[in-house]
Amino acid sequence: MYVASSRPSKTDFRKRLPGTVFALGTVSLLTDVSAEMITAFLPVYLLFTLNLGYAQFGLLDGIYTGATAVLRLVGGSVSDKFRKPKAVAAAGYGLSAATKVFFPLVGASPFGIGALMAADRAGKGIRTAPRDAMISLATPEDRLGAAFGVHRSMDTFGALLGPLITFLLLIQIGTVPGPIFAVSAAFAVIGLIVLIAFVRDTPADKKPKGPRPSFRAGLNLLTDRQFRRTTISAGMLGLATVSDAFVYVLVQKATNIPLGWLPLLPLGTAVVFLAAAAPLGKLSDRVGRWRMFLTGHALLLGVYALLFIPEGGMGVAIAALLLHGLFYAATDGVLSAKVSETAPESLRASGLSVVQTGQALGRLVSSVAFGLLLQFSSFGTSITVALAALTVTLIAAAHLGGSEEQRLSLSREKRS
């Protein structure tokens, strides 16, 4: 009987995770520098330079968040059918990189900005499921949480650098968009080059287990009870989650910290996410991935509650960003690991894309609805509605997934 060492070395840890995880982590790191530069810049640019209303900002943010939805299904289905996840992922990364070149050309046009934001997120939609499928197919099932945790940690290091680079550029040049978009495009192109040169594709001669891939076969995964409950719960929780852009705007307004600090707020989330993603991913392999996913959303409730503290200042802002980072560490990669338990190998990208599509559609509706709510009601009312909606949805999701998690746990115990 093999007895694992209680304190594995870093070398042992790398041996237990495939190189695909680290190669794709590097691609995501570079791409997230590019994406988060734009994410950090847009609230300042749209709300305070172009003076858009909250409703317009919510619509654009909803496009940015939810434009991935349908194309996630397409990317997952094509990846499984032709067994070319790397090629599909490269197409998505390439589309996102191309949009950064055109951002300076649309100027202050909300329509042009919205179209490019949609194209950028469409690229994300195409690439996400094939990328996650490559990670899951290369990793043993009992290490999925750890693998996705490591990948998300590397991804988040890029998310940390992106806002910092934007902040430094804003100090030097002000809110001039051209240089910010140009630097963002450079990082995106480098990430695409790393993907093409260093990421190994799934071997074409290795036939994956499961039914023959097709678009319909991917949707038919919803007939499986566990998969259906996971998809519904993820979609409902996405609907009840306030988007990151609004969270940072709300934290700035609630705490009255200087407006110039707004582009730096994503750094707080990123630092915590970076530190906690791998440990919480590894922990989810032991305590249950669905339990960890729900715990993360419970932490998000804490973020909303902190916004009620009047004149909280920097202390409340730090606490909110700490909980926000832990929320992502406990949910982002953990959900992909959870879905990978259920979706067969031949439909792995399709299964991931179905769940991610439901979540993206929920977040699209959430951004638009919350923007309208904030536009036409008070700050306190908006936060109260968000807090109540997430509480009710979290209870419903716990009820949907709780019995299934317990059944799977008992099944693992019997096998062991």
Side-chain angles (χ1 to χ4, degrees), residues 17-379:
L17 291 179
T20 299
V21 174
F22 298 97
L24 286 171
T26 302
V27 175
S28 293
L29 187 158
L30 293 165
T31 304
D32 234 44
V33 171
S34 172
E36 293 304 319
M37 284 185 66
I38 305 301
T39 300
F41 179 63
L42 284 177
V44 175
Y45 185 57
L46 297 177
L47 289 174
F48 304 108
T49 301
L50 302 184
N51 295 312
L52 295 186
Y54 286 121
Q56 292 172 295
F57 180 71
L59 178 60
L60 287 176
D61 187 62
I63 291 172
Y64 193 64
T65 304
T68 67
V70 176
L71 285 175
R72 287 177 186 264
L73 292 174
V74 175
S77 179
V78 171
S79 172
D80 284 334
K81 184 174 182 179
F82 295 100
R83 293 161 62 185
K84 293 289 184 182
K86 178 179 173 179
V88 177
Y93 281 109
L95 178 59
S96 293
T99 62
K100 307 299 191 306
V101 177
F102 292 100
F103 261 113
L105 302 180
V106 301
S109 167
F111 175 80
I113 292 172
L116 287 177
M117 290 169 67
D120 179 34
R121 294 298 88 181
K124 180 178 176 63
I126 292 171
R127 70 181 182 250
T128 300
R131 180 203 66 199
D132 285 355
M134 283 191 284
I135 293 172
S136 68
L137 291 171
T139 306
E141 184 175 325
D142 64 343
R143 298 289 296 162
L144 283 171
F148 279 106
V150 168
H151 174 268
R152 296 311 194 257
S153 291
M154 298 179 72
D155 178 276
T156 305
F157 186 65
L160 189 155
L161 292 177
L164 181 59
I165 294 172
T166 295
F167 179 73
L168 294 175
L169 287 172
L170 288 175
I171 290 176
Q172 297 296 321
I173 62 174
T175 56
V176 180
I180 292 174
F181 292 131
V183 174
S184 172
F187 276 102
V189 170
I190 295 171
L192 179 61
I193 292 171
V194 172
L195 173 70
I196 295 171
F198 297 104
V199 175
R200 293 183 178 180
D201 209 344
T202 303
D205 57 347
K206 181 182 178 182
K207 186 176 181 180
K209 299 177 182 178
R212 184 177 180 179
S214 68
F215 188 78
R216 176 173 291 183
L219 294 179
N220 283 343
L221 289 172
L222 291 168
T223 60
D224 178 84
R225 184 184 181 207
Q226 181 195 355
F227 186 88
R228 183 173 63 252
R229 287 188 168 196
T230 301
T231 304
I232 293 172
S233 298
M236 291 193 310
L237 288 168
L239 183 61
T241 300
V242 175
S243 75
D244 293 354
F246 272 125
V247 167
Y248 301 135
V249 170
L250 293 172
V251 168
Q252 187 273 326
K253 289 178 65 68
T255 59
N256 286 323
I257 61 177
L259 180 61
W261 287 85
L262 181 57
L264 280 182
L265 294 184
L267 285 176
T269 297
V271 167
V272 179
F273 192 178
L274 174 65
L280 290 185
K282 185 176 181 180
L283 181 61
S284 74
D285 289 330
R286 298 174 55 190
V287 303
R289 289 155 191 156
W290 191 246
R291 185 178 301 168
M292 181 65 70
F293 184 69
L294 296 180
T295 299
H297 283 85
L299 293 171
L300 185 61
L301 286 174
V303 177
Y304 299 165
L306 285 171
L307 298 177
F308 286 105
I309 299 177
E311 304 292 333
M314 188 61 71
V316 169
I318 292 172
L321 296 176
L322 171 65
L323 292 177
H324 197 233
L326 289 174
F327 154 68
Y328 270 112
T331 59
D332 191 15
V334 170
L335 179 61
S336 293
K338 171 66 179 174
V339 176
S340 298
E341 294 178 358
T342 310
E345 288 184 0
S346 64
L347 297 173
R348 188 62 53 82
S350 298
L352 287 161
S353 68
V354 168
V355 176
Q356 291 165 356
T357 295
Q359 191 179 50
L361 287 173
R363 289 182 173 175
L364 185 156
V365 175
S366 173
S367 289
V368 175
F370 191 78
L372 291 170
L373 183 64
L374 198 59
Q375 181 80 33
F376 298 108
S377 65
S378 67
F379 178 87

Side-chain angles (χ1 to χ4, degrees), residues 225 229 290 398-409:
R225 184 184 181 207
R229 287 188 168 196
W290 191 246
H399 176 73
L400 273 175
S403 59
E404 199 66 33
E405 183 83 0
Q406 185 177 21
R407 183 186 69 79
L408 286 172
S409 178

